């Protein structure tokens, strides 16, 4: 089969690799579409993935093309979205319900062959069947959505909150769509890129601007979400949290990024600073929200690029052009 392969740091190719064979409790998925994400760029830069070469792609959906000897839950022809998380279920974090912080954390497309290929392997437990009306190629969005759902689990968000989101790329826009459904009193979005901000406006925001200085809310926001990973945005956002408010680090910063905090204010105003990492018991719910139309795939997927052009798709993503880019085998 054809697959994208990140061969070494900085080098991605599309090449021929052996077809996957399912283990007893595994499924072969014929990939319909696979999303690109910041994690793929980190892998290309030599972070995250312990071993190269790797077939990337952790955001994918497709049709079941083969099942292992002990699989009864899905059958050939079923359409599924795949939760890429691979947990050990044995370490302290797994045993205390923090599986996404597993000591042997692994994921399809990060530590094992992923979905940027014609076929991908997944444990049957990671496959969620798609209802009739969901288009398979759109369901590549379920994985990033499940990360956003996890973000709101961490926030334990309350009705009537004033929410400020930094970044209106795919993840910021997903946080926006979910914020509207958590009963936020207002949702404001910050982005320095006017084209991206325009999409946020199209989806419906209370206010949007290139800087929070332009928004009239001196008392700050109850919930501030960074969906950029950018130091300047994070630093600014930390200062915009209202008394008793929460700052959520949702965007993936580079390892070396540093910002300063104000311990007195954290104490005196009871401010919470927290983070959310990937997926935790949120994939199934994301699939259900997706099936219920929580977001419009036509807005969220800006580019559908043939798998053969994976390296170019990655370049376009790195340049920040478009919203979710998916490759189609
Ligand atoms: Zn991702
Ligand atoms: Zn574990």
């Amino acid at each position: 089969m054809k697959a994208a392969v990140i061969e070494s740091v900085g080098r991605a190719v599309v090449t021929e690799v052996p077809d996957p064979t399912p283990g007893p409790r595994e499924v072969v998925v014929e990939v319909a579409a696979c999303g690109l994400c910041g994690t793929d760029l980190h892998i290309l830069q030599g972070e995250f993935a312990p071993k190269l070469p790797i077939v990337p792609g952790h955001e994918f959906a497709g049709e079941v093309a083969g099942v292992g000897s002990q699989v009864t839950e899905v059958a050939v022809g079923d359409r599924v979205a795949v939760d890429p998380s691979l947990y050990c279920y044995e370490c302290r974090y797994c045993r205390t319900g923090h599986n996404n912080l597993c000591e042997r954390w692994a994921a399809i497309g990060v530590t094992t062959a992923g979905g940027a290929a014609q076929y991908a392997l997944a444990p049957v437990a990671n496959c969620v069947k798609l209802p009739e009306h969901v288009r398979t190629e759109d369901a590549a969005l379920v994985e990033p959505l499940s990360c956003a759902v996890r973000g709101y689990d961490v926030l334990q968000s309350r009705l009537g909150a004033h929410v400020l989101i930094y970044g209106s790329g795919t993840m910021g826009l997903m946080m926006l769509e979910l914020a509207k459904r958590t009963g936020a009193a207002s949702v404001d979005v910050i982005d320095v890129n006017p084209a991206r901000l325009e999409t946020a406006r199209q989806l419906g925001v209370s206010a949007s601007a290139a800087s929070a200085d332009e928004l009239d809310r001196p008392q700050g926001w109850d919930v501030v979400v960074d969906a950029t990973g950018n130091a300047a945005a994070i630093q600014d956002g930390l200062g915009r949290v209202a008394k008793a408010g929460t700052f959520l680090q949702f965007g993936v910063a580079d390892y070396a990024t540093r910002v300063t905090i104000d311990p007195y204010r954290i104490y005196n105003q009871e401010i919470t600073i927290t983070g959310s990492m990937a997926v935790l018991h949120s994939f199934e719910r994301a699939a259900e929200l997706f099936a219920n139309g929580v977001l419009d795939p036509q807005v969220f997927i800006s580019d559908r690029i043939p798998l053969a052009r994976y390296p170019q798709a990655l370049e376009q993503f790195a340049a920040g052009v478009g919203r979710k880019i998916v490759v189609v085998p």
Side-chain angles (χ1 to χ4, degrees):
M1 68 163 181
K2 282 221 176 331
V5 178
I6 295 178
E7 289 188 328
S8 54
V9 173
R11 182 173 162 76
V13 297
V14 177
T15 185
E16 203 64 36
V17 303
D19 285 347
T21 312
R25 291 286 289 158
E26 285 184 323
V27 169
V28 179
V29 177
E30 183 177 5
V31 178
C34 177
L36 267 52
C37 138
T39 301
D40 301 311
L41 290 180
H42 282 282
I43 295 171
L44 188 68
Q45 289 153 11
E47 296 173 348
F48 280 153
K51 284 191 220 102
L52 297 179
I54 182 106
V55 176
H58 58 276
E59 304 179 358
F60 64 98
E63 193 173 305
V64 175
V67 296
S69 58
Q70 288 167 32
V71 170
T72 53
E73 297 85 346
V74 299
V76 170
D78 283 347
R79 299 170 315 113
V80 294
V82 177
D83 179 349
S85 316
L86 302 171
Y87 308 133
C88 80
Y89 297 101
E90 293 175 1
C91 73
R92 182 173 187 278
Y93 298 100
C94 283
R95 287 158 57 126
T96 52
H98 302 285
N99 307 59
N100 58 332
L101 307 180
C102 174
E103 285 174 5
R104 293 160 216 147
W105 187 88
I108 300 167
V110 182
T111 55
T112 68
Q118 285 178 291
Y119 298 95
L121 276 184
V124 64
N126 292 50
C127 298
V128 175
K129 278 196 226 181
L130 299 171
E132 197 71 29
H133 69 278
V134 171
R135 282 161 34 119
T136 322
E137 59 269 41
D138 292 343
L141 290 170
V142 172
E143 196 279 342
L145 183 62
S146 73
C147 297
V149 170
R150 166 68 187 150
Y152 279 94
D153 285 349
V154 169
L155 283 169
Q156 300 178 310
S157 97
R158 297 170 68 185
L159 292 170
H162 294 275
V163 179
L164 178 64
I165 297 168
Y166 285 75
S168 55
T170 309
M171 297 317 296
L173 295 175
M174 284 188 179
M175 293 307 277
L176 163 64
E177 291 293 42
L178 292 179
K180 292 193 283 187
R181 282 166 178 78
T182 61
S186 67
V187 192
D188 300 339
V189 175
I190 300 294
D191 201 309
V192 291
N193 179 332
R196 286 187 183 229
L197 214 48
E198 185 49 41
T199 310
R201 284 193 199 105
Q202 192 187 326
L203 294 177
V205 292
S206 308
S208 62
S211 160
D213 289 334
E214 297 168 43
L215 305 177
D216 184 26
R217 204 169 169 78
Q219 68 273 49
W221 285 260
D222 304 308
V223 172
V224 176
V225 177
D226 172 69
T228 70
N230 173 280
I234 297 164
Q235 190 70 71
D236 191 67
L238 285 166
R240 307 284 178 180
V241 183
K243 289 181 182 180
T246 300
F247 179 88
L248 175 68
Q249 187 57 50
F250 183 68
V252 183
D254 290 330
Y255 290 176
T257 299
R258 296 289 181 273
V259 297
T260 57
I261 58 164
D262 179 346
Y264 178 79
R265 202 168 75 85
I266 293 170
Y267 145 76
N268 184 254
Q269 301 185 0
E270 296 200 343
I271 286 166
T272 302
I273 300 174
T274 185
S276 83
M277 206 305 267
V279 186
L280 179 64
H281 308 146
S282 53
F283 197 87
E284 187 102 15
R285 287 176 291 145
E288 286 167 3
L289 284 163
F290 188 77
N292 283 312
V294 73
L295 52 87
D296 179 357
Q298 300 309 323
V299 173
F300 274 78
I301 298 177
S302 60
D303 297 83
R304 298 170 195 262
I305 296 177
L307 173 65
R309 301 191 62 235
Y310 185 85
Q312 292 89 332
L314 212 50
E315 271 172 36
Q316 180 184 332
F317 176 74
V321 179
R323 288 176 297 284
K324 182 57 77 183
I325 298 171
V326 301
V327 289
V328 181

